[in-house]
Amino acid sequence: MPSRARARSYDPAKTRTAVIAQLRRVREAVGGLDETGLDAPTRLGDWTVRELIAHLGMAVRSVVRLLEQPAPPARQTTVTGWATATDAHADRIDADTRALAAGADPGELLERAEERFAETTSVAPGDRLLATRVGAMRLDDYLVTRCVELVVHADDLTAATGVPVAHDRQALATATRVLADALAAKAPGGSVEVRIPPFAVVQCVEGPRHTRGTPPNVVETDPLTWLRLATGRLTWAEALESAPLTASGDRADLSAHLPVLG
């Protein structure tokens, strides 16, 4: 279990590989879409599938764009800080996404994004600082956030098109852990144990801290259900009713702390 005093570490090489692997799975799904499919609605406001694909491409292209800019003088945020700060930039992200979608072929956009990402990140040092929207971050940390973007929006793409987008295991594991740690940071404490097998276990929520034996308050679910809860795609009540979610104990209701990505 990650300590609340120390950030979880991620293997940089595995993270880079996971970003490319997940992007390729998205490209495979997008390759079979016609104009009707591209114009279909999504669960992301009034974005169509075309805008969703553009956003996925932009998420990866941003790594290259940021590496082309001067490095900031000092780090300002971490992976967990990114997870809780993205909502403040929603309007700018929306505008940039729409502009990109209006001027690019979806398949070509993703292909170019993968090529440039692979070329650029293979030679860039992991401690290189990037001037991201939410503050200066290390490249290695920013790549972790790209896994979250790709995994979460791959699930959105599946929901919109009905075409299953496979999840790279490493990318899914990374996204699950990031959002579990974001919950622990948002609701610090040790009274509830959240289990997301096989990828993450965290303790959270103020109250009596569990130290040994079976915890009195336990929440357990699968990775995709957790991602949907953590990003607001699924409510706590909906998950209890229809998803593989169990919650035991009088402190195990996490609805007040969800979503965590925002």
Side-chain angles (χ1 to χ4, degrees):
M1 180 184 308
S3 167
R4 290 188 294 277
R6 185 181 66 230
R8 190 192 298 268
S9 62
Y10 297 87
D11 183 295
K14 289 183 179 180
T15 303
R16 285 171 168 81
T17 300
V19 169
I20 293 174
Q22 188 60 60
L23 181 58
R24 286 178 178 169
R25 283 160 174 74
V26 170
R27 286 182 59 195
E28 290 170 1
V30 168
L33 297 177
D34 57 16
E35 289 298 312
T36 300
L38 292 172
D39 291 334
T42 72
R43 60 190 179 190
L44 302 176
D46 61 354
W47 276 7
T48 65
V49 170
R50 191 184 303 275
E51 273 104 30
L52 174 55
I53 295 168
H55 182 71
L56 282 160
M58 188 173 73
V60 177
R61 283 170 46 140
S62 66
V63 180
V64 177
R65 176 178 56 80
L66 292 171
L67 282 169
E68 292 172 344
Q69 298 176 3
R75 183 169 71 169
Q76 297 172 310
T77 192
T78 61
V79 172
T80 302
W82 167 87
T84 58
T86 57
D87 194 50
H89 303 271
D91 289 345
R92 179 64 184 275
I93 292 170
D94 178 68
D96 290 347
T97 296
R98 292 179 188 277
L100 185 59
D105 175 85
E108 292 178 1
L109 188 156
L110 295 180
E111 181 179 2
R112 290 198 304 270
E114 180 183 331
E115 290 174 353
R116 293 285 287 124
F117 176 88
E119 292 169 359
T120 306
T121 61
S122 64
V123 296
D127 60 356
R128 166 66 150 84
L129 291 178
L130 306 178
T132 77
R133 296 181 194 270
V134 301
M137 296 180 69
R138 287 169 49 100
L139 171 61
D140 283 349
D141 287 342
Y142 192 62
L143 294 182
V144 170
T145 72
R146 302 306 86 188
C147 279
V148 180
E149 290 271 10
L150 286 167
V151 167
V152 168
H153 289 309
D155 189 48
D156 291 332
L157 190 60
T158 295
T161 64
V163 179
V165 182
H167 284 99
D168 173 73
R169 180 180 173 83
Q170 183 65 36
L172 180 60
T174 298
T176 301
R177 291 163 183 157
V178 168
L179 296 177
D181 290 347
L183 171 66
K186 182 177 182 179
S191 68
V192 179
E193 184 165 287
V194 180
R195 301 170 178 172
I196 314 161
F199 299 133
V201 178
V202 296
Q203 289 186 354
C204 59
V205 183
E206 292 183 352
R209 183 175 180 82
H210 166 72
T211 56
R212 54 195 308 187
T214 301
N217 301 285
V218 177
V219 173
E220 184 166 338
T221 191
D222 65 284
L224 279 179
T225 299
W226 167 242
L227 294 178
R228 293 163 188 162
L229 282 167
T231 60
R233 271 68 170 173
L234 187 68
T235 68
W236 183 257
E238 289 168 343
L240 283 175
E241 181 177 347
S242 61
L245 170 71
T246 58
S248 60
D250 57 6
R251 294 176 180 271
D253 185 341
L254 298 179
S255 57
H257 310 295
L258 298 171
V260 297
L261 184 66

